[in-house]
Amino acid sequence: MTLQASPARPRLLFGCLAALAGLAVVQQQILLRRPPWLHSVAIQPLRSGAAALDVTFSRPMNRDTVAASSLAPDLSHSWLGRQNRLRLLVDAGQPIEGPLRLGLLGQDLRQLSLKRQVVWWNPRPHLLAVVPSADGEQLQLRLRDGRWQPLAPVQERILQIEPLGNGTGVGLVSDDSEARQRVLLRHLSQRALSIREQGLGDPDLGSLEELESGASGSLLFAHLSSNQLGELLVQLGGFEPESDRVWIQSRGNEQRELDLEASGPLRLLPDGNGLVLPSYDGLELLPLNPSLDGGSRQSLPGSREVKAFCSGSGRALLVRHWPDYRRSLELVIPARPPQQVWLGEAGVMAAACDNGGDRLWLVLRDAGLRTEDVLLQLNSEGREIRRRSLGPWRLSSGSELDYDPVSDRLLTVVQKPEADHGRIALIAGSTLSLEVLDQPAVLARWLPAGGALTDFSDPTR
């Protein structure tokens, strides 16, 4: 006996397939008719202006209609990008003194309107300082109301602080009288973005992680460097042969060991693509992902040291030491030889540049009968724009010039020759006016604002 398939089964199968296809078409039409919605908003640290915000929508948008969004205060700004990823860039040269209110509007390419969404954004950094006390030194963060919050226990001496480039933490290197060095990392949760004004605030403290605790005399030095992706490079040098270690700790706390030999401190490039390695023959630029970057090393011979990165342009400031004891400041532009912008016999105590590398600052110290620190502002061609004496103040030992594009200010620590401790100093980037705070400090750095909002949902659901 032969079994034959029922003719109803193929018809039933074809009917189910047709129904599913029809359902898919209906769903597609419903989705096409839904208005777009906001997918995510994130602070973008790699910027050429005063501040930047990356905005991602559910579908490609008409950028001209998004540009109609309101920004309060009404600062000069522009919208960049295309498709569903756009960037709000606040123009440089206009200090931001408080939170910003962004009222997002716009239409997608089918002229369907976005439901208005308000985002509050505070791009201002927080001030970090190593504060001296009777028991030693402590890393502290200044809150918006002016109070100071400890970030780590008191250490006998703090040699370096390194804020993570995305604002999610700060590392420190400490030392004691028995040559025991420690490397600590305080994790932070930023509150610089919110859908409500009340949601903005100071960072919340996360865990305090000990990355390294050297036994007595086991470490010769420790150095930290971070990029704007939030990665942290930890470089340790020991007394014993082959005891040096270098690793990068990623945002997920994963450690990646690097097999490198350096003659000085390593520096991560701001964009996260490489690092600068000092060697006995000069400086080398190494890619972090050789398979993606072609694996090419770039070398710059001569006795040079990195003083600052102009983070929005790929430029950097180097100090070169000449055999006749003169020093020069060089502006390094990608794919071009270093450009000398200053040459002299004075010591270059610190240097900084804005994000585009168009404005440069340096502090010079003449080793004469009357030691005086002088602050210069140069343009990218080396022409002197402004000059001012710091008067009775001098840069404290180990101090940097840390530039903040949001407020257009430089941060450093200054000290009078007869004083026991330094003071935090804020310098206007355009006028070079000096404001010395009452707060005693040993070191000071900016902690950049960071964070993202991803809790938006489809309003039609």
Side-chain angles (χ1 to χ4, degrees):
M1 182 176 64
T2 302
L3 296 178
Q4 295 182 350
S6 172
R9 290 185 178 180
R11 291 196 296 269
L12 179 61
L13 178 60
F14 292 145
C16 291
L17 292 175
L20 291 175
L23 180 60
V25 171
V26 171
Q27 289 178 334
Q28 184 182 33
Q29 292 300 315
I30 293 175
L31 290 174
L32 289 175
R33 286 172 170 77
R34 280 183 177 177
W37 69 89
L38 194 58
H39 187 269
S40 66
V41 177
I43 293 178
Q44 170 55 252
L46 291 172
R47 53 185 180 259
S48 57
L53 202 64
D54 282 351
V55 182
T56 304
F57 300 91
S58 64
R59 61 172 61 130
M61 302 291 289
N62 183 327
R63 191 176 66 191
D64 292 338
T65 63
V66 176
S69 301
S70 63
L71 183 66
D74 187 16
L75 302 173
S76 175
H77 65 279
S78 58
W79 285 90
L80 309 174
R82 59 182 182 177
Q83 297 295 317
N84 65 328
R85 298 178 182 271
L86 301 180
R87 176 171 298 173
L88 169 64
L89 184 67
V90 179
D91 297 342
Q94 42 187 353
I96 299 173
E97 300 177 352
L100 305 178
R101 183 179 184 271
L102 175 62
L104 278 166
L105 299 171
Q107 294 181 341
D108 64 12
L109 299 183
R110 294 177 177 268
Q111 298 185 342
L112 296 176
S113 297
L114 173 80
K115 183 179 180 181
R116 187 173 184 270
Q117 177 71 60
V118 173
V119 175
W120 288 88
W121 170 32
N122 195 343
R124 297 176 299 165
H126 279 79
L127 199 157
L128 297 167
V130 174
V131 178
S133 67
D135 300 324
E137 299 173 352
Q138 187 177 44
L139 174 63
Q140 297 186 10
L141 177 144
R142 188 171 72 167
L143 305 177
R144 297 296 187 199
D145 60 8
R147 293 180 296 120
W148 289 86
Q149 179 174 24
L151 297 185
V154 174
Q155 310 291 311
E156 191 164 324
R157 186 170 60 146
I158 296 178
L159 306 177
Q160 183 194 2
I161 56 174
E162 181 69 9
L164 299 188
N166 62 353
T168 59
V170 54
L172 69 90
V173 177
S174 68
D175 192 12
D176 63 18
S177 58
E178 298 182 5
R180 287 191 296 252
Q181 293 199 359
R182 302 176 70 195
V183 179
L184 304 175
L185 175 61
R186 167 64 77 179
H187 296 274
L188 299 169
S189 296
Q190 289 268 0
R191 297 170 58 201
L193 280 176
S194 178
I195 58 175
R196 298 179 302 276
E197 185 177 12
Q198 296 78 7
L200 299 177
D202 298 301
D204 293 325
L205 268 59
S207 61
L208 180 64
E209 183 180 359
E210 186 169 67
L211 301 181
E212 179 69 24
S213 180
S216 179
S218 64
L219 286 180
L220 177 62
F221 77 96
H223 178 76
L224 305 176
S225 179
S226 182
N227 57 32
Q228 293 182 325
L229 302 180
E231 297 174 324
L232 181 67
L233 181 143
V234 181
Q235 181 184 6
L236 306 175
F239 286 93
E240 300 296 328
E242 299 182 356
S243 61
D244 295 359
R245 287 186 61 205
V246 180
W247 77 83
I248 292 179
Q249 181 154 318
S250 67
R251 288 169 290 180
N253 286 337
E254 297 179 357
Q255 293 188 1
R256 172 188 170 189
E257 293 280 346
L258 301 178
D259 185 13
L260 297 173
E261 292 185 6
S263 63
L266 298 164
R267 296 283 297 270
L268 290 176
L269 298 181
D271 60 9
N273 290 330
L275 57 83
V276 177
L277 183 150
S279 67
Y280 294 103
D281 299 323
L283 296 176
E284 293 188 40
L285 180 63
L286 276 67
L288 284 178
N289 298 300
S291 59
L292 299 178
D293 302 328
S296 59
R297 283 194 178 200
Q298 302 178 41
S299 298
L300 189 62
S303 179
R304 291 178 165 95
E305 59 178 311
V306 179
K307 279 296 184 182
F309 290 112
C310 317
S311 58
S313 61
R315 301 182 177 188
L317 283 180
L318 309 181
V319 169
R320 184 172 186 179
H321 302 270
W322 294 89
D324 59 0
Y325 301 105
R326 292 185 302 168
R327 301 164 186 89
S328 62
L329 186 70
E330 298 176 333
L331 177 64
V332 178
I333 302 174
R336 290 170 57 180
Q339 176 182 333
Q340 182 175 288
V341 293
W342 178 86
L343 175 67
E345 297 180 354
V348 182
M349 307 308 298
C353 49
D354 64 9
N355 286 337
D358 300 315
R359 292 184 296 163
L360 320 175
W361 300 271
L362 67 158
V363 176
L364 303 177
R365 177 176 298 174
D366 285 317
L369 296 177
R370 182 177 179 270
T371 302
E372 181 184 31
D373 283 1
V374 176
L375 175 63
L376 299 184
Q377 180 186 352
L378 310 175
N379 66 9
S380 59
E381 301 298 323
R383 184 170 65 88
E384 183 176 317
I385 306 300
R386 287 180 182 82
R387 164 191 295 253
R388 72 156 296 162
S389 168
L390 297 186
W393 300 100
R394 302 178 190 171
L395 253 64
S396 298
S397 176
S399 296
E400 302 180 34
L401 280 178
D402 198 3
Y403 177 68
D404 169 37
V406 179
S407 62
D408 191 28
R409 292 186 299 180
L410 297 155
L411 171 65
T412 191
V413 176
V414 295
Q415 186 173 359
K416 292 183 177 179
E418 67 277 6
D420 294 332
H421 301 295
R423 293 288 189 273
I424 295 173
L426 297 170
I427 303 170
S430 298
T431 65
L432 303 189
S433 62
L434 175 67
E435 178 188 3
V436 180
L437 307 183
D438 292 333
Q439 177 63 50
V442 178
L443 302 170
R445 293 287 304 275
W446 293 116
L447 175 73
L453 287 176
T454 58
D455 55 352
F456 304 101
S457 58
D458 181 357
T460 62
R461 289 179 180 176

